[in-house]
Amino acid sequence: MQYPIFQSVVNKINSLLNKRNINVVKFKTWEESRINAAGLEIVIDLKDSTNHLKRLDINFDWDSFREANLANQLNGTDKHPMLKEKHLTEVNISPSIDVELVWHFDERKSQPNQTNGDTNYRIEKASEWMDRVSKEVNELLISDDIITRWHLEIDGDSHGKYLTAINLISYFQFPMTNLESLNEVNEFVSRKLTHLLYKANRIIKIADSSVSVVAA
């Protein structure tokens, strides 16, 4: 990977996750030179630890402009290769790391298996617990000033409509403007990952307790 600072962040995250009792089934970095972007994909299996969720995805997004800007900001990174690229260093941006959390619900356990004759019955019953989850999640994350939304996919059968995918997605952004060294970057990442995992676990508990309709 051509992103030394981000690679250090990835190594820190990997080290922190290895110290926790978390079932990580995917930990993969990616890089796309055409769009000057890089990232980290983490998948945590939740099937054995929850009743109604399958997995949690955590996606960290980065790019060359933020890498170069942060290298220019930190002490001890004056030999960073991207500082030689004027098209990167001349872009005036504030370095920040973007994180997407995606909770994947088990659609079979989160809506009725049968209908009561109403073609929208299964979706309407699922929407009741989703409304409760949205309210509690918004209250939990109000201090984070983030965006949270649902992603739903709908199909149909002889009994009417049903959900084939139920995902809750939250977008976090953490500014890194006041950091002065790579050690401070790693300490910052450690704090934010702890924050994310705490909020993720709270949301998992909210979601599990709110899904009142279980498939027969």
Side-chain angles (χ1 to χ4, degrees):
M1 175 174 282
Q2 302 301 311
Y3 297 79
I5 296 175
F6 186 63
Q7 184 61 61
S8 180
V9 168
V10 170
N11 293 341
K12 184 65 175 179
I13 292 171
N14 190 36
S15 175
L16 292 168
L17 289 177
N18 285 335
K19 295 176 182 178
R20 292 173 173 265
N21 186 26
I22 297 176
N23 188 13
V24 177
V25 295
K26 181 179 181 181
F27 189 96
K28 181 181 179 181
T29 57
W30 59 270
E31 183 177 340
E32 181 51 73
S33 58
R34 292 177 300 173
I35 56 174
N36 295 301
L40 169 65
E41 299 177 6
I42 301 171
V43 177
I44 299 172
D45 191 338
L46 299 175
K47 292 192 296 292
D48 294 333
S49 58
T50 68
N51 295 320
H52 302 102
L53 292 102
K54 297 185 290 186
R55 72 179 197 267
L56 169 65
D57 297 349
I58 307 177
N59 301 309
F60 292 83
D61 292 331
W62 195 245
D63 60 46
S64 301
F65 303 101
R66 284 181 272 195
E67 176 86 11
N69 190 285
L70 192 54
N72 195 43
Q73 173 183 307
L74 302 178
N75 298 323
T77 54
D78 51 297
K79 294 184 179 180
H80 193 292
M82 288 187 183
L83 293 179
K84 299 176 182 178
E85 305 291 337
K86 287 187 176 180
H87 73 286
L88 297 177
T89 58
E90 290 177 352
V91 176
N92 185 21
I93 64 168
S94 297
S96 62
I97 188 164
D98 297 331
V99 188
E100 176 192 65
L101 270 63
V102 186
W103 292 266
H104 296 262
F105 288 79
D106 188 330
E107 61 279 353
R108 293 171 301 173
K109 296 181 179 179
S110 301
Q111 59 189 323
N113 224 3
Q114 302 296 326
T115 71
N116 64 350
D118 183 349
T119 57
N120 293 320
Y121 176 75
R122 286 174 288 186
I123 293 179
E124 288 175 353
K125 295 302 292 184
S127 70
E128 292 178 9
W129 65 256
M130 281 189 281
D131 286 342
R132 291 195 295 274
V133 169
S134 294
K135 182 178 182 297
E136 293 191 48
V137 168
N138 288 335
E139 291 175 355
L140 174 66
L141 300 178
I142 189 170
S143 62
D144 291 280
D145 190 25
I146 66 168
I147 298 172
T148 298
R149 66 178 180 85
W150 289 96
H151 170 78
L152 307 175
E153 295 180 12
I154 301 174
D155 206 336
D157 57 20
S158 58
H159 299 290
K161 297 178 182 178
Y162 63 95
L163 296 169
T164 56
I166 308 172
N167 303 331
L168 179 64
I169 307 173
S170 293
Y171 301 95
F172 294 76
Q173 186 176 77
F174 301 116
M176 309 172 79
T177 52
N178 298 320
L179 306 178
E180 298 181 353
S181 68
L182 193 54
N183 283 339
E184 288 189 8
V185 170
N186 286 328
E187 290 172 2
F188 173 85
V189 169
S190 178
R191 293 195 304 272
K192 294 306 180 184
L193 182 61
T194 299
H195 173 79
L196 285 172
L197 292 176
Y198 169 74
K199 291 296 178 74
N201 189 53
R202 287 284 306 278
I203 290 173
I204 287 168
K205 291 180 179 178
I206 289 171
D208 239 4
S209 63
S210 296
V211 181
S212 58
V213 178
V214 179

